[in-house]
Amino acid sequence: MPRIFELDPHVADLIAAGEVVERPASVVKELMENSIDAGAGIITVEINAGGMTFIRVTDNGCGIAPEDAKTAFLRHATSKLRGPEGLEAIGTLGFRGEALAAIAAVSRIELLTRECGPAEGVSLTLDSGTVTDMSPTGCPEGTTIIVRDLFFNTPARLKFMKTDRAEASAISAVVVRCALSRPDVSIRFIRDGKTEYHTPGDSRIDSCIYSLFGREFFAGLLHVMAEDEGVSAEGYVCLPAAARGNRSYQFFFINGRPVRSRTLQAALEQAYVNNLPSGRYPSCALYITTGLSNVDVNVHPTKAEVKFVSDKQIFDCVYYAALSAKSNAECGMRNAELSSVTEREKSNAECRMQNAELSSAMKREGHSEFRIPNSEFEKPHNSQFAIHNSQLGDVTVRETSNAECRMLNAELSSATKREGHSEFQIPNSEFASFRIPNSEFASDTDIRVIGEALKVYIIVEYRGGVWFIDKHAAHERIHFDALRADGYEPMSQSVITPVVCRFGFEDAALLLDNADMLDKLGFSIESFGDDSIAVRRIPAEIDISDTEQVLSEICDELKLGGAAGPARRDNIFRMIACKSAIKAGKSSAAHELEVLASRVMSGEVSQCPHGRPVAFELTKATLDRGFKRI
Ligand code: ADP
Ligand code: MG
């Protein structure tokens, strides 16, 4: 008896639908792309309840002829591709002819459409992909598609949906990306009856960005324009000071298509490598134009990722565009600070020279010192030199760097020898036998804090030995343990003016969905517009200026998904403990050192939350041996 059967077409459709329609945001993306492909100049997106009950996309595009209306909802039915030769150079956003069929399979649809010309249009309704009604109707030119009750017939998929707020934010992010991708199209987004934003569609990138993100965001941007051998990049990158705690404001477009690409991300971030500490990311809206055949868009089912024929050329174009915008801005800023005209002129001349050098370096073939090959990013590195090397593209540079390292090491060791350091070196075994403070250690009266060394270590004399305590590690551990303790009550500070952090639509929604958990940690947050949150209370120990960074790291942790188990909770605690602990590198008040030392010496903590020791002892014997007393 045969056990292999062809799937019922309806079941096959439901399976295929899962690939394209993951959540309401995917529906909006596909419908907007269709509107753009139809040549629309105005698109309105309206959603209710995170798009789960109602999504309506209206456009003034070319419309669908009545005889094509049903066909549009069949799988692999498209007007955008005829034969395989068309796949070589795809200029439309869609081409697979899957979206409408996939959406229809998992929802109830109403289509109203009229072509330019005929007096009447057509209305079509479908239920789970089956046409239930089709009739001529009067309607404006263009197309309106209403999608109701998404996933009503696939309960398993329904279970994966997040809160309405999170789904709405994901939709908002899609609409923003689409609006940014086409400043020549006017896009309005209405959420639960309220217009969230409306772009003018005047073909200007600046007015588009302004209408989506507001004045403050726009003020932190620099204009970028570059062209090199058939690749051009235009748009905006941010001033280093306006960098953010995450990448949600990095927008890249290739030939009008929003894309994610490690090459582009790496090119942008590399241009900021010397300006930004780790954990800060540049924002951008960059529009790259290149020949259609230089890009392969058919590598991802939702076409979100692309491949380039020449990664290097694209990387260079973006990297140098961002670099020269930044260096121009630096010159401008420096000029503003220079008072005399002569100084200003001198600086201008220097800038011009620098820029000239930069652009000639761009053109020169041997400019590989500046480049990072993409593949290098993927590799894990375990030594500093390896990281350093990975940033150096070609073999010559890498060898020079290795030679430099060797020289550095040679110099170091000869210097050590010269100064006779080696004689003082304390054998490792001594360290291995160090005592760990424990509760049997005696009272405060036995502890004498000598002081602080290198703004990192507290030096303590205790019962015939000298102890070194890493003040940051110790403090971090004490906080970490406190956070984990049962019944922990956070000490919060209310901030007079709420700190407004712009996280991007999805991250803001994620944090708001976890507001209860954040409240337990001492953060009180509320929604502030669509993509921002207002923070009214923060844990007492956290510096106000760290608020955005801490929340953004919590967000990254939450994004890892899965159950909110103890490991995730500990990661968040660890991070908060680290941020709230006194910092190495900053002097501490004497009483702070004393309190910390006595807590460490009482055995309260012995390792930091990352597992490093918090204290170790140099015994009298070790010191005596070092001085050849014994
Ligand atoms: P694809 O976009 O890959 O062609 P879809 O399933 O998304 O596939 O759409 C099928 C066809 O329906 C499109 O090729 C297009 O001809 C037509 N269509 C869909 N949406 C619109 C619209 N908003 N305006 C005009 N035509 C549309
Ligand atoms: Mg489509």
Side-chain angles (χ1 to χ4, degrees):
M1 187 161 123
R3 281 185 299 163
I4 302 178
F5 301 95
E6 223 178 316
L7 278 176
D8 175 82
H10 178 62
V11 179
D13 281 350
L14 285 181
I15 293 172
E19 285 169 26
V20 182
V21 191
E22 201 190 335
R23 57 196 297 197
S26 6
V27 172
V28 171
K29 175 174 178 290
E30 295 293 339
L31 296 182
M32 290 186 83
E33 288 189 355
N34 280 348
S35 296
I36 287 178
D37 283 345
I42 303 172
I43 304 175
T44 304
V45 179
E46 200 175 342
I47 61 160
N48 288 341
M52 293 306 301
T53 56
F54 179 88
I55 296 172
R56 173 162 56 200
V57 177
T58 305
D59 67 50
N60 66 344
C62 66
I64 305 175
E67 61 270 26
D68 283 341
K70 278 187 186 171
T71 323
F73 289 91
L74 298 179
R75 278 185 74 195
H76 306 301
T78 177
S79 57
K80 301 168 194 171
L81 189 66
R82 284 282 149 86
E85 60 288 349
L87 268 180
E88 297 295 310
I90 289 163
T92 50
L93 295 168
F95 55 86
R96 291 165 183 256
E98 273 175 337
L100 289 187
I103 298 166
V106 291
S107 67
R108 301 187 169 103
I109 286 198
E110 264 176 72
L111 165 80
L112 276 176
T113 183
R114 177 159 76 91
E115 280 187 304
C116 168
E120 270 197 336
V122 64
S123 129
L124 187 72
T125 53
L126 297 97
D127 200 319
S128 308
T130 310
V131 176
T132 53
D133 183 50
M134 180 166 161
S135 50
T137 183
C139 60
E141 267 173 34
T143 303
T144 296
I145 295 190
I146 302 174
V147 179
R148 289 183 213 273
D149 306 330
L150 190 62
F151 302 130
F152 78 96
N153 54 355
T154 52
R157 170 77 47 173
L158 210 50
K159 270 195 231 136
F160 284 101
M161 293 304 114
K162 304 205 172 116
T163 58
D164 286 356
R165 181 165 49 208
E167 295 302 337
S169 293
I171 293 177
S172 186
V174 161
V175 180
V176 160
R177 215 165 270 272
C178 187
L180 274 178
S181 76
R182 293 296 297 263
D184 57 330
V185 180
S186 170
I187 288 174
R188 185 191 290 274
F189 178 52
I190 304 169
R191 173 173 161 185
D192 297 318
K194 186 174 147 259
T195 294
E196 297 268 308
Y197 38 78
H198 183 194
T199 63
D202 59 2
S203 298
R204 294 180 52 151
I205 301 172
D206 53 359
S207 54
C208 185
I209 294 178
Y210 194 104
S211 60
L212 292 169
F213 303 123
R215 189 160 61 104
E216 196 197 330
F217 182 84
F218 190 74
L221 297 180
L222 301 166
H223 186 247
V224 166
M225 178 106 101
E227 214 208 314
D228 196 30
E229 292 174 27
V231 182
S232 72
E234 201 198 334
Y236 288 86
V237 296
C238 74
L239 286 161
R244 309 190 153 261
N246 57 48
R247 295 191 172 100
S248 33
Y249 285 81
Q250 291 184 355
F251 300 100
F252 295 103
F253 306 94
I254 302 272
N255 298 333
R257 183 190 294 277
V259 292
R260 277 198 301 264
S261 145
R262 283 185 67 82
T263 305
L264 295 172
Q265 179 191 311
L268 174 77
E269 290 178 9
Q270 184 62 15
Y272 286 78
V273 116
N274 295 325
N275 303 91
L276 294 181
S278 73
R280 303 297 291 171
Y281 303 96
S283 316
C284 74
L286 279 175
Y287 300 77
I288 292 119
T289 313
T290 180
L292 289 180
S293 52
N294 288 339
V295 194
D296 185 357
V297 293
N298 199 11
V299 292
H300 190 269
T302 59
K303 298 158 252 137
E305 276 164 34
V306 289
K307 260 195 197 153
F308 302 111
V309 173
S310 166
D311 262 350
K312 164 188 166 304
Q313 212 191 355
I314 302 273
F315 183 100
D316 283 358
C317 185
V318 169
Y319 173 71
Y320 290 111
L323 205 61
S324 72
K326 255 174 37 203
S327 92
N328 281 338
E330 276 158 21
C331 286
M333 254 151 39
R334 221 181 320 142
N335 273 353
E337 282 164 16
L338 298 175
S339 50
S340 84
V341 179
T342 0
E343 272 178 319
R344 222 175 287 167
E345 277 175 359
K346 207 172 124 219
S347 145
N348 271 340
E350 274 169 19
C351 284
R352 273 195 298 275
M353 257 161 62
Q354 262 171 30
N355 284 343
E357 273 170 28
L358 213 68
S359 60
S360 69
M362 275 166 87
K363 295 206 181 86
R364 244 185 296 133
E365 251 321 291
H367 64 267
S368 49
E369 301 99 279
F370 295 113
R371 197 179 318 132
I372 303 182
N374 209 20
S375 59
E376 297 279 355
F377 280 99
E378 321 272 351
K379 292 179 195 157
H381 301 286
N382 48 16
S383 89
Q384 233 181 332
F385 291 141
I387 292 171
H388 183 56
N389 273 349
S390 79
Q391 298 181 348
L392 303 173
D394 70 11
V395 180
T396 350
V397 182
R398 218 175 292 166
E399 278 176 358
T400 325
S401 148
N402 276 338
E404 272 167 21
C405 289
R406 277 194 298 274
M407 255 161 63
L408 204 74
N409 283 344
E411 269 171 32
L412 259 166
S413 66
S414 73
T416 324
K417 275 193 201 122
R418 258 201 315 281
E419 287 167 20
H421 280 183
S422 51
E423 280 161 39
F424 290 102
Q425 244 166 29
I426 298 159
N428 271 343
S429 57
E430 294 283 350
F431 285 97
S433 66
F434 68 75
R435 286 189 285 170
I436 289 178
N438 63 55
S439 53
E440 281 166 20
F441 277 37
S443 65
D444 290 1
T445 48
D446 291 332
I447 300 166
R448 188 168 72 87
V449 175
I450 299 171
E452 183 181 20
L454 309 171
K455 297 185 186 161
V456 180
Y457 303 110
I458 310 172
I459 305 175
V460 176
E461 181 183 338
Y462 173 80
R463 289 199 180 174
V466 179
W467 287 79
F468 291 79
I469 298 170
D470 179 328
K471 65 176 185 181
H472 171 77
H475 200 206
E476 193 181 356
R477 182 67 200 211
I478 290 168
H479 274 174
F480 180 65
D481 290 347
L483 284 165
R484 292 172 93 204
D486 287 341
Y488 169 73
E489 284 290 336
M491 290 250 293
S492 283
Q493 46 182 330
S494 293
V495 280
I496 303 167
T497 324
V499 184
V500 174
C501 309
R502 185 170 238 166
F503 284 108
F505 306 93
E506 283 179 276
D507 290 4
L510 185 60
L511 288 169
L512 288 167
D513 284 341
N514 285 281
D516 286 350
M517 182 273 287
L518 288 168
D519 190 64
K520 290 199 186 93
L521 296 172
F523 290 97
S524 152
I525 63 167
E526 55 196 56
S527 173
F528 190 86
D530 208 18
D531 60 349
S532 303
I533 58 168
V535 188
R536 299 200 172 271
R537 272 188 315 114
I538 61 172
E541 308 83 1
I542 290 204
D543 200 300
I544 294 183
S545 63
D546 282 338
T547 310
E548 185 176 343
Q549 175 74 26
V550 173
L551 286 172
S552 140
E553 284 181 32
I554 292 180
C555 197
D556 288 345
E557 189 61 42
L558 292 171
K559 272 192 225 158
L560 295 178
R568 157 108 65 85
R569 199 199 51 178
D570 276 4
N571 284 344
I572 292 176
F573 286 167
R574 206 171 282 131
M575 196 262 301
I576 290 184
C578 181
K579 283 287 182 312
S580 57
I582 51 173
K583 308 265 186 296
K586 278 193 188 156
S587 309
S588 306
H591 75 273
E592 271 184 317
L593 301 179
E594 270 167 25
V595 171
L596 262 179
S598 90
R599 293 183 74 167
V600 172
M601 297 315 288
S602 73
E604 194 175 317
V605 293
S606 58
Q607 283 187 331
C608 83
H610 309 281
R612 285 186 289 113
V614 153
F616 77 84
E617 180 188 19
L618 273 186
T619 60
K620 180 156 188 309
T622 309
L623 288 166
D624 287 347
R625 262 201 302 278
F627 288 102
K628 309 249 182 282
R629 281 176 163 265
I630 51 173

